[in-house]
Amino acid sequence: MDHDRHHPQHGDRHHDGHHDHASPAAGHGSVSWAMAMKATLHCLTGCAIGEILGMVIGTALGWGNVPTMVVAIVLAFLFGYSFTLFAVRRAGLDLRAAVKVALAADTVSIAVMELVDNAVVALTPGAMEAQLSDGLFWAALLGGFAIAFLITTPVNKWMIGRGKGHAVAHAQHA
């Protein structure tokens, strides 16, 4: 994701590093729904890759629902954090600082997304027993992602507006 599109490059920083145009990083500005949606989509992309990979691994190895979901959730967090980690490392942060930013930027967003997505799959009749080749499996998973996106976007908007979540990552490479 090109975080630079979110923030103009010309003269938008004070001496303390905060943006002067109602900055989410400053914790006192308004945040557009578009920014919140982009942050959520960024999170969703990493989560979806990890979750689908985990489901494929668990199914291919014949694991039960619980170990498959655990691997899928772990991989969702790993890929979600990795996307932010890559972006802030590219912006020049050292590994230790980049890890702190990724954890601060994505933990709540990924946790909400995973909770909602997995709840949708678990509560969809027959989805837990469905195979990767079944339409029900994919409908439940993709429906879960869609619902998770809708629920997580306002969470991200609220967090960014308070200088938390993706505001932390944006502040590092805006």
Side-chain angles (χ1 to χ4, degrees):
M1 178 175 176
D2 183 5
H3 292 284
D4 294 340
R5 295 185 321 190
H6 299 303
H7 303 285
Q9 294 296 316
H10 54 291
D12 65 342
R13 290 183 174 264
H14 288 293
H15 66 296
D16 65 355
H18 292 301
H19 302 281
D20 62 10
H21 58 282
S23 168
H28 62 272
S30 64
V31 177
S32 71
W33 281 103
M35 179 183 278
M37 289 172 62
K38 288 176 183 175
T40 306
L41 186 58
H42 177 265
C43 175
L44 177 64
T45 303
C47 288
I49 291 169
E51 184 117 358
I52 292 168
L53 183 60
M55 297 289 184
V56 169
I57 290 170
T59 300
L61 297 176
W63 294 349
N65 290 336
V66 173
T68 298
M69 286 182 88
V70 168
V71 168
I73 292 168
V74 167
L75 289 175
F77 272 91
L78 181 69
F79 277 89
Y81 287 141
S82 295
F83 279 25
T84 298
L85 187 65
F86 177 76
V88 295
R89 287 279 293 147
R90 191 176 58 195
L93 262 65
D94 65 61
L95 183 60
R96 178 181 219 113
V99 167
K100 287 180 182 180
V101 166
L103 291 173
D106 293 332
T107 300
V108 171
S109 182
I110 296 170
V112 170
M113 190 157 297
E114 285 302 299
L115 178 69
V116 172
D117 175 54
N118 283 286
V120 169
V121 172
L123 295 173
T124 299
M128 295 298 288
E129 294 77 31
Q131 299 297 312
L132 292 176
S133 59
D134 296 334
L136 177 60
F137 169 82
W138 293 103
L141 186 63
L142 296 177
F145 288 147
I147 293 168
F149 179 83
L150 293 174
I151 291 173
T152 307
T153 298
V155 172
N156 280 332
K157 186 177 189 305
W158 181 82
M159 288 180 56
I160 294 168
R162 281 146 190 78
K164 310 249 185 256
H166 270 262
V168 177
H170 288 287
Q172 296 303 317
H173 58 85

